[in-house]
Amino acid sequence: NYPIDELPIPDLSGLSAERYQLAGKPLAFIITSRGCPHRCSFCSVYTTFGNNYRRRPVENVIEEIKQRYREGRRVIDFEDDNLTYYKDEFKELCRRLIELFPDKQMEFVAMNGISYMSLDDEILELMSRAGFTHLNLALVSSDKSVHETTKRPYSIEAYTGVVSKAFQLGLKIVSYQILGLPDENLTGMIQTLAFNARLPVLLGASPFYV
């Protein structure tokens, strides 16, 4: 498991940009970090990548994005498990992207999900200006007791605030819940579906698996 900041930029020269697309635009995947500081009981990230949360230098990430743009890619999907955990570093990345693509020549998404607990109005505004178009959130459940038993950070006020601000900025939002958690019954799952159905989000259902 090599240090993340020592790994070279992946060589995609053998892969045609036109064969990997999102909504008709050539797509590439990037990570800015590895691991997650949280230890949610249903997640394998901390057992797979260890307990330490490691980040790549912002300059290193920018160089990779520049290279993908030169190759003809026009969408970058950040596949971090906790992209915005270090807020200051992520804000710096967004500011650099705004400078690099002032007319939003590159589109950015984060389809592996972003923790709403590490988002605020400033970050959402920077993401919108930088060219982010979609926000994938994981509510998991609207039941506080489920979050307590799964050791997952939770704040329904923070979640609804992020959804409201993101919708105001024109971001398309997908919100995921996990169906079949061992500590949640059918009534609780329906309650979460009903809760999200009142919000401007696309409902995403993820079945629980051990």
Side-chain angles (χ1 to χ4, degrees):
N1 198 350
Y2 295 96
I4 189 172
D5 56 353
E6 294 181 10
L7 293 172
I9 294 175
D11 180 6
L12 304 184
S13 60
L15 301 175
S16 169
E18 297 303 320
R19 297 194 63 175
Y20 300 89
Q21 298 186 357
L22 179 67
K25 297 180 181 179
L27 166 75
F29 298 94
I30 283 181
I31 59 169
T32 72
S33 63
R34 179 175 292 152
C36 178
H38 303 311
R39 296 176 64 87
C40 306
S41 64
F42 55 79
C43 183
S44 64
V45 168
Y46 67 91
T47 59
T48 305
F49 293 121
N51 295 322
N52 295 327
Y53 181 72
R54 291 90 77 199
R55 288 196 62 83
R56 295 169 60 192
V58 170
E59 188 59 42
N60 188 292
V61 177
I62 289 295
E63 286 305 311
E64 182 170 355
I65 292 173
K66 286 180 179 178
Q67 180 167 325
R68 300 299 173 234
Y69 186 79
R70 290 193 296 268
E71 294 169 352
R73 326 271 168 175
R74 291 299 179 265
V75 182
I76 296 293
D77 176 20
F78 292 97
E79 280 291 311
D80 299 56
D81 289 299
N82 204 322
L83 178 63
T84 58
Y85 183 73
Y86 282 124
K87 293 185 177 182
D88 290 341
E89 285 85 348
F90 184 72
K91 288 176 184 177
E92 176 60 23
L93 175 60
C94 285
R95 294 187 184 103
R96 292 292 304 275
L97 294 175
I98 292 168
E99 294 175 2
L100 188 60
F101 304 109
D103 297 319
K104 297 184 179 180
Q105 302 94 317
M106 185 77 88
E107 179 181 350
F108 300 101
V109 297
M111 295 195 295
N112 197 34
I114 300 176
S115 172
Y116 63 85
M117 295 293 288
S118 59
L119 293 174
D120 56 37
D121 286 1
E122 182 184 5
I123 288 179
L124 290 169
E125 288 169 1
L126 284 170
M127 290 176 71
S128 177
R129 290 174 55 200
F132 279 85
T133 57
H134 294 70
L135 200 59
N136 286 36
L137 304 175
L139 176 60
V140 176
S141 171
S142 62
D143 187 338
K144 182 179 180 181
S145 65
V146 172
H147 290 265
E148 292 173 346
T149 56
T150 58
K151 303 177 183 178
R152 181 177 176 81
Y154 171 79
S155 169
I156 202 69
E157 293 79 13
Y159 171 78
T160 54
V162 166
V163 168
S164 176
K165 181 64 176 180
F167 180 69
Q168 176 189 332
L169 291 168
L171 293 168
K172 296 179 181 179
I173 311 161
V174 180
S175 179
Y176 292 95
Q177 77 173 96
I178 298 180
L179 299 175
L181 283 168
D183 298 304
E184 188 172 30
N185 56 31
L186 179 60
T187 300
M189 288 181 257
I190 294 173
Q191 174 184 302
T192 300
L193 281 168
F195 172 79
N196 260 335
R198 294 191 293 268
L199 300 176
V201 302
L202 178 67
L203 303 179
S206 298
F208 171 77
Y209 51 90
V210 179

